[in-house]
Amino acid sequence: MDIGVLKKLTRSGFILLHITVLLIVNGQVKSAGTRWANAELEAADEASDLQIYKSVVQSMEEWKQRKNSSKRQKRAETNACYPEVGCFDTSGPYGYIGMVPNRPDEVNTRFLLYSSRRSRRDTPLLDVAFTNMTSIWHWAGKAFNVSAPTKVIVHGFGSSCSNVWVYEMRSALMDVVDCNVICVDWEAGAIIPNYVRAAANTRLVGKQVAMLIAGLASKANLPVENVHLIGFSLGAHAAGYAGAELKNLSRITGLDPAGPLFENQDPKTRLDSTDAKFVDVIHSNGENLILGGLGAWQPMGHVDYYPNGGRMQKGCSNLFVGAVTDIIWSAPEVYGRSLCNHRRAYKFFTDSVSPSCAFPAVPCESYEKFLEGECFPCKDKSKCGNMGYHSDKSPGRGKMYLLTRDEEPFCAHQYIVKIYNSPSALPVVSYGKIQIVLFGQLDINETFTITNKDDAALSVGETMKKIIVPHPALQGFNRVQITYTAYKGWLSNGLSKWSIDKFILTDSYGNSQSVCQRGLVMQSEVPVVLPLYPG
């Protein structure tokens, strides 16, 4: 079965469904996966992408103008004190933003509480405003399973807890583990168009989250070491503020922490590795704002993952070319899709909750060297990681690189393909492309192009290398089909045949399958099928 057919079978038009990925265990088909919405519902999340990006750009321009104006005259420091949450000022490391958070009643933070034992995933057991937070204590002691992990989700700019991605993440977590889930809804404080104001409000939201967790710990005996904060974009920095306030938080996961106003600032003003005992970060859009980047490239955790390089994601269009003034007035259907790269971070995390959807990652000097296969596979497992939900169970620290699939499921079951061209006494070069088809159990197969273009230069004696990411349903490889296609152009043509000596397929952990057939001649456009053997 071609993988394209499988994709059609595993994607349907129901409003909400449990998409399954086929897994073959001991020859039997089993299912696992994550709860996804259909394309129409996910599009609802993305309906405001154009407006969100415009707002960030325009808000940042206005902020820069105010900052330049304040340099010409001494700016008075502002201070605001709010009942219960305390005081905020613009002195010290917080001075660069130039404003304090809104009043709590303006931000109107709400806490939506769920328990995998007691609630439907689309209906919270409790929806409580921060101003009425004390009502949670009595209820939580009865409805929460205080011995179970507690996951706290914090959204970002132009978002809320009603977004589909929050439902998907919440459902995935509650499917896999018996847990409590809290969504922090600060929609009124993150409202479009004032991004700078929303950035300032993360300090207040972080303080409120810290007060909630501290209250649950003291009033309902919820162990702080069982609390995991998961923040997307601005929500990642709000989680960082909460962790800094609590000082003994177990874990924070930053999902593409917002870059504008936070990158390269004092660690006190952003997510930082000191905010929890373990801080893991997924960078999916760490590009310059003018090029469509809304995330931070700067490492901010104990381990920082850079899937597909961490700037632009496979399957997302790189549409930002030219000046922002040109981009702002371009077609919405083109311009708005920029947030695809930014949003990919929470999709990676949601997929990673399923134990069958791994995202192994390796340390490397650069993404370019990673792509060249210099750091792949993981040679020292004590230095490698697993991006996403299970990151805390892997030992790797520092910057990690990996490739993912370009569509759901994004699982990063990576392999490096090596094809050894036959040597020759003469410096023979041909032009063309090499494609392979991998076959697995149930005859599931998928096609990959190993060369970068149709007229790639192929040299005798060289080794062609490429990292590929098969669909997770494609397992138990048993054979490979290799096709050489000679290039036919106006100025140059490839040779009518090409020969190879060896084919090796190696996974992220160093497990290999191969076939050796010295001097195997491949006629152009004639596929050759070879069996694969362990080792």
Side-chain angles (χ1 to χ4, degrees), residues 367-387:
Y367 181 57
E368 290 69 29
K369 289 186 180 297
F370 168 78
L371 288 179
E372 292 168 2
E374 293 191 19
C375 309
F376 191 96
C378 179
K379 297 179 178 65
D380 183 350
K381 293 183 179 179
S382 68
K383 295 182 179 179
C384 297
N386 186 15
M387 183 181 78

Side-chain angles (χ1 to χ4, degrees), residues 263-342:
E263 185 131 33
N264 299 318
Q265 296 295 338
D266 190 297
K268 292 181 180 179
T269 68
R270 57 170 174 79
L271 178 64
D272 177 68
S273 61
T274 63
D275 294 331
K277 295 175 183 176
F278 180 64
V279 177
D280 57 307
V281 181
I282 298 175
H283 301 265
S284 62
N285 192 207
E287 185 57 271
N288 190 291
L289 180 61
I290 199 171
L291 297 176
L294 292 180
W297 173 259
Q298 176 187 16
M300 294 183 176
H302 295 97
V303 57
D304 288 76
Y305 295 97
Y306 295 84
N308 307 305
R311 298 185 187 276
M312 298 292 179
Q313 297 304 307
K314 299 167 66 177
C316 292
S317 299
N318 299 338
L319 298 166
F320 288 86
V321 180
V324 170
T325 51
D326 296 330
I327 296 168
I328 285 178
W329 307 113
S330 61
E333 64 272 13
V334 172
Y335 178 69
R337 277 157 52 200
S338 67
L339 267 66
C340 168
N341 299 286
H342 194 41

Side-chain angles (χ1 to χ4, degrees), residues 151-220:
K151 314 295 181 181
V152 182
I153 302 171
V154 191
H155 65 75
F157 181 56
S159 188
S160 75
C161 286
S162 63
N163 283 115
V164 172
W165 72 264
V166 176
Y167 171 85
E168 293 178 318
M169 184 178 295
R170 187 173 73 237
S171 298
L173 290 167
M174 296 168 74
D175 275 347
V176 170
V177 64
D178 178 18
C179 64
N180 311 304
V181 176
I182 302 172
C183 187
V184 180
D185 196 318
W186 58 294
E187 179 181 12
I191 196 167
I192 299 169
N194 198 335
Y195 172 80
V196 176
R197 169 61 66 186
N201 286 338
T202 58
R203 294 172 65 189
L204 172 69
V205 175
K207 182 63 178 290
Q208 292 173 321
V209 172
M211 293 174 65
L212 170 71
I213 295 171
L216 286 170
S218 63
K219 306 294 184 180

